[in-house]
Amino acid sequence: MDVEKKDLESKETDAELHSTHPGATRDEIAETLKVDAWGFDIVKAIVSAEDDPTEPVFTFRFWFLGTILGIFAGSLGQLYTFKPQTVAVSSLMLSVFGYVGGLFLSKVLPTGILNPSKFNKKELALTVICASTAGKGVASTLIIGAKDLFFNQKYAYVDAIILVMVTQFIGYGAVGLFRPVLVYPRRAFYPTALSGVSLYETLFAQNLNDKAFKLFWMATAGLFFWTFLPQYLAPTLIGVSVFCLANQNSPRFTQLFGGVNNNEGLGILSISFDWNNIGEDGLVYPWVTQMNQMVGMIGCVILIPLLYDNNVWNAKSFPFMAQGLYLATGKKYNQSKILTNNALDEDKYAAYGQPYYATSWAFNTMMQNMSVTAGIVHVILWHGSDIMAGARSVINKKKNAEGAPVGGTELTDVDETYLLTSVHPEVPHWWYGLLMVISLALGFYSCLRDDSLPWWAFILTIVMAFFFIIVSGLLAAFTGFSPPFKTFIQLIGGFILPGKPIANMYFTTFGANTITEAVAMCTDLKVGQYMKIAPRAVFWAQMYGGFIGALVHWVLNHIVLEQKRDILLDPNGDNNWSGQNIIGFNTKAITFGTLAPKILAAGGTYEWLSYAFIVGAVLPIPFWLGHKYFPKVGFNYVNTAILSWYFCIFTVGVNSGWTSRIILGFTFQLYMRRYQSAWFNKYTYILAAGLNAGTQLAVFLMSFAFQGAGGVTVDPPFWALNPNPESGVFSDYCTRSK
């Protein structure tokens, strides 16, 4: 038994802690359950222990709704890639649509093969898994956008679809092989999935008039109408800054207190009234995760101004916040001037000079690198023995009487939902193996088609991704947080393939995006387990959703790149559109893929971006040792992977929501969890579901009706809560002057 497991034991006995409360309802459990700071026992109050394994899921209703909602989710997911606030497609909003659509079809379709029974929660959950899978994969389109905007190269339709599908399905194949470690264990509870599970359980509860059901619909309706204010009519509500209202002429105030526009400022003490900006994290992330995040946030708003004021990396020559490349003079760096045939030209480079980062973006990269190795070492130290035990149980194929893997560690201790789900045939490993072989073959095709990434580099990035899927998956399962592996993989690609930015893009896409998609699919597999859905049904739902999404991503990506090209190339974008994700991806492809040995190796301008990997690997060790010898101090609460990432969290994007999020964290995950535990257990996650669903529904409608995604832009009138940009201020009244 490793040391972290010992600390998860409360004053209760182990038997009491893991009791399944036989015969008790969810409400009865919620009345008495005390959830600790790690959060995973909340599952007992959310997930029903009852199951009917005969309920149909592969119905006409599923295929119809899965297709319609898959197209919808794919469109929305791609749309958000071009938004100032980059957020994922909410499975909760899809759940609302699926629920309403399912009930409607069950009433209007004739009884029989098209309508075999009442619409059930498994059917809804499977529909949402299918649709949310279609909404993923958008990260793979960054290479498509970067080659279009910065290299003037466009993909053929079929090649783009294959590229998006490959990164999803390679990761999915790996996840299938790692299920015993990443999905089955009770401790792998995926906190970000619990709002959706709570919603499914509530919508299909026998008493549709109960408080949770009413709370969900009230939150959904309320946020739907409210979101039209901050996201359209009154953008000042995205972040109200009393400091900028008091002083509308200070660039320094903009840097510190501004935060409603992309790259405006740090948003210190801004209060946001926009749920799209705040998000559900304060409600659903375990308190241990939030403590680490909060410390990192505070560190970020202290360090970024200090770095700028002390002119670290010539900070004052460049914008306070930006993701682009610059000459030493502060002018934009024209990457085409150092490339010949998309590869580095040494003579041109010597004549034009090296590129530079804004200091905030360099710091962002350094802390991301630190977070990656900190996450790897953290998992090895705290969970290494459990991973090995789980792997041995899979290799030996030992099973106990109920079908759960043998063992007595965190990663072999399965929960009741696994045992209930095990009545259905499991997905054979060869299914996932075949999927992986086909996906790898298509990946080779993509590399050969573009003639950019060598075959050996493709294999290397896939092998790296498989290892990091375990690390990232476990951290997501335990804390809700996943380290940002993209930067790490980009840097490795830069050193092994110097001078080749497009090859670096492919290396990153096949490596980092495979990890991201795999962890997202792990979450969906866990939802399927919580809802006791047949594993083979979940497999085919994800396959179908991935195929639909790949088709949709390319279409919408192409439309936005054509219609919003100038805005996407502007580092600041506007209130509605931003190319920050593509710009950041291209920037790192140039600096890492072309110039890594020159500016990131020892002696280079940004050598500390590489040294950060070493620092990150060392960071977790003192806390692990400290806890080993002083177990009561609380060193086990420190997660240096989370801390490192949140030390740079406000160096990009819209930053006015973090104060509101911290307030929510203290309110729900500290006070309510401790002192109003019954209310917290019953209603927190369903409240988060309603707030998310209403907000994303409103954002989607506005994007297509008013903000250009549908081809028409209707600007709102200027007034006090929507100041005219020509007046020289942002929407929060911070000055635009530099």
Side-chain angles (χ1 to χ4, degrees), residues 84-96:
Q85 298 123 311
T86 303
V87 296
V89 177
S90 172
S91 61
L92 302 168
M93 179 181 62
L94 300 176
S95 299
V96 174

Side-chain angles (χ1 to χ4, degrees), residues 18 91 102 112 124 131 181 223 295 301 344-345 405 427 450 561 690 696-697:
H18 301 308
S91 61
L124 174 60
V181 172
L223 263 291
V295 172
V301 298
L344 177 66
D345 188 311
V427 179
D450 204 314
L561 287 173
Q696 289 220 334
L697 174 59

Side-chain angles (χ1 to χ4, degrees), residues 9-332:
E9 297 172 352
S10 66
K11 294 180 181 179
E12 302 170 298
T13 65
D14 191 61
E16 290 172 332
L17 182 61
H18 301 308
S19 167
T20 56
H21 299 80
T25 64
R26 287 191 304 129
D27 282 347
E28 290 170 342
I29 295 173
E31 288 289 345
T32 58
L33 180 67
K34 294 291 185 180
V35 179
D36 66 14
W38 301 92
F40 61 91
D41 273 333
I42 190 64
V43 172
K44 299 175 186 176
I46 293 176
V47 180
S48 171
E50 300 176 354
D51 181 44
D52 178 4
T54 65
E55 286 181 320
V57 291
F58 270 156
T59 63
F60 170 79
R61 295 179 304 224
F62 159 76
W63 291 109
F64 180 80
L65 293 172
T67 302
I68 298 300
L69 292 179
I71 295 172
F72 170 75
S75 301
L76 189 58
Q78 191 61 51
L79 178 68
Y80 271 130
T81 305
F82 302 106
K83 284 291 187 179
Q85 298 123 311
T86 303
V87 296
V89 177
S90 172
S91 61
L92 302 168
M93 179 181 62
L94 300 176
S95 299
V96 174
F97 289 153
Y99 177 72
V100 174
L103 292 182
F104 174 76
L105 291 177
S106 68
K107 288 183 179 297
V108 301
L109 291 175
T111 302
I113 190 171
L114 296 180
N115 194 16
S117 63
K118 290 177 62 177
F119 189 60
N120 62 76
K121 62 184 179 183
K122 292 183 183 181
E123 205 174 347
L124 174 60
L126 193 66
T127 299
V128 174
I129 288 173
C130 175
S132 62
T133 302
K136 301 178 179 71
V138 292
S140 306
T141 63
L142 292 178
I143 185 174
I144 299 172
K147 290 185 67 176
D148 188 335
L149 294 177
F150 297 102
F151 294 88
N152 294 314
Q153 297 180 12
K154 297 183 182 295
Y155 275 83
Y157 187 82
V158 173
D159 293 340
I161 293 173
I162 289 175
L163 180 64
V164 176
M165 283 196 300
V166 162
T167 56
Q168 281 188 285
F169 292 161
I170 291 176
Y172 192 29
V175 166
L177 301 177
F178 300 150
R179 285 169 295 167
V181 172
L182 297 179
V183 180
Y184 298 159
R186 182 183 67 90
R187 182 66 177 86
F189 75 115
Y190 290 91
T192 57
L194 295 180
S195 294
V197 175
S198 178
L199 176 58
Y200 303 141
E201 297 285 5
T202 299
L203 291 178
F204 290 90
Q206 291 184 355
N207 181 11
L208 295 184
N209 292 316
D210 69 8
K211 292 181 180 179
F213 187 84
K214 292 179 180 178
L215 177 62
F216 169 75
W217 289 113
M218 289 172 61
T220 300
L223 263 291
F224 172 78
F225 291 108
W226 172 260
T227 301
F228 280 83
L229 286 175
Q231 284 291 310
Y232 184 62
L233 294 172
T236 298
L237 297 175
I238 295 174
V240 177
S241 173
V242 295
F243 299 96
C244 286
L245 289 171
N247 187 341
Q248 301 176 21
N249 300 305
S250 170
R252 183 59 166 176
F253 270 44
T254 299
Q255 293 173 355
L256 297 179
F257 306 114
V260 300
N261 272 62
N262 185 49
N263 289 334
E264 180 185 342
L266 297 171
I268 298 175
L269 296 181
S270 287
I271 301 297
S272 179
F273 296 93
D274 177 19
W275 190 255
N276 197 52
N277 188 27
I278 301 169
E280 67 171 10
D281 295 0
L283 274 68
V284 304
Y285 273 29
W287 181 241
V288 169
T289 301
Q290 294 201 46
M291 283 192 296
N292 284 278
Q293 291 172 332
M294 291 173 189
V295 172
M297 291 177 187
I298 295 170
C300 180
V301 298
I302 293 173
L303 284 176
I304 295 301
L306 285 176
L307 292 172
Y308 187 81
D309 291 344
N310 287 280
N311 205 31
V312 176
W313 291 314
N314 296 317
K316 295 181 180 180
S317 298
F318 314 114
F320 182 70
M321 293 171 63
Q323 292 77 54
L325 296 174
Y326 298 89
L327 291 165
T329 59
K331 294 182 179 180
K332 290 183 180 180

Side-chain angles (χ1 to χ4, degrees), residues 343-616:
L344 177 66
D345 188 311
E346 293 285 354
D347 293 334
K348 290 183 177 179
Y349 176 72
Y352 192 57
Q354 78 165 65
Y356 294 87
Y357 285 139
T359 292
S360 58
W361 189 239
F363 182 71
N364 172 287
T365 305
M366 184 178 77
M367 297 310 295
Q368 284 193 51
N369 293 348
M370 197 177 297
S371 177
V372 167
T373 48
I376 294 170
V377 175
H378 179 93
V379 168
I380 292 172
L381 290 176
W382 295 98
H383 309 291
S385 61
D386 287 338
I387 293 173
M388 295 304 297
R392 283 193 297 268
S393 73
V394 175
I395 294 171
N396 296 331
K397 298 181 179 180
K398 294 179 180 178
K399 302 286 183 176
N400 65 18
E402 289 82 14
V406 169
T409 69
E410 282 186 328
L411 298 182
T412 54
D413 178 17
V414 298
D415 59 23
E416 190 175 47
T417 60
Y418 173 82
L419 301 179
L420 291 171
T421 306
S422 64
V423 302
H424 301 286
E426 186 54 86
V427 179
H429 283 301
W430 72 263
W431 286 22
Y432 288 107
L434 179 62
L435 175 64
M436 191 180 299
V437 169
I438 295 174
S439 300
L440 290 173
L442 291 174
F444 274 117
Y445 165 81
S446 295
C447 296
L448 293 173
R449 180 74 169 161
D450 204 314
D451 194 26
S452 296
L453 186 68
W455 64 268
W456 57 267
F458 173 74
I459 294 175
L460 175 61
T461 193
I462 295 300
V463 171
M464 291 169 55
F466 284 4
F467 172 72
F468 293 144
I469 285 170
I470 297 177
V471 175
S472 190
L474 284 178
L475 287 171
F478 292 177
T479 68
F481 167 81
S482 295
F485 281 100
K486 178 180 287 186
T487 301
F488 175 79
I489 292 178
Q490 282 180 313
L491 185 57
I492 296 299
F495 278 107
I496 65 173
L497 296 166
K500 298 180 179 180
I502 293 181
N504 186 272
M505 290 182 184
Y506 275 104
F507 191 83
T508 304
T509 298
F510 286 123
N513 294 343
T514 295
I515 300 169
T516 302
E517 302 304 331
V519 173
M521 289 179 171
C522 273
T523 306
D524 285 343
L525 287 175
K526 191 67 179 188
V527 171
Q529 179 177 306
Y530 281 146
M531 302 311 297
K532 284 77 73 177
I533 302 173
R536 295 185 181 187
V538 176
F539 176 89
W540 289 116
Q542 290 186 305
M543 293 297 97
Y544 183 60
F547 177 73
I548 292 174
L551 297 175
V552 173
H553 291 322
W554 166 248
V555 173
L556 194 59
N557 187 64
H558 178 75
I559 292 173
V560 176
L561 287 173
E562 289 294 321
Q563 295 188 358
K564 302 294 179 181
R565 188 179 189 88
D566 292 339
I567 295 176
L568 298 179
L569 287 168
D570 185 337
N572 291 107
D574 60 23
N575 282 341
N576 300 319
W577 299 97
S578 171
Q580 61 178 334
N581 293 309
I582 298 175
I583 293 172
F585 184 68
N586 176 73
T587 296
K588 290 185 176 179
I590 295 297
T591 52
F592 290 2
T594 306
L595 304 171
K598 297 180 180 295
I599 65 175
L600 298 172
T605 303
Y606 298 109
E607 60 184 342
W608 273 99
L609 275 63
S610 298
Y611 295 155
F613 292 120
I614 301 173
V615 177

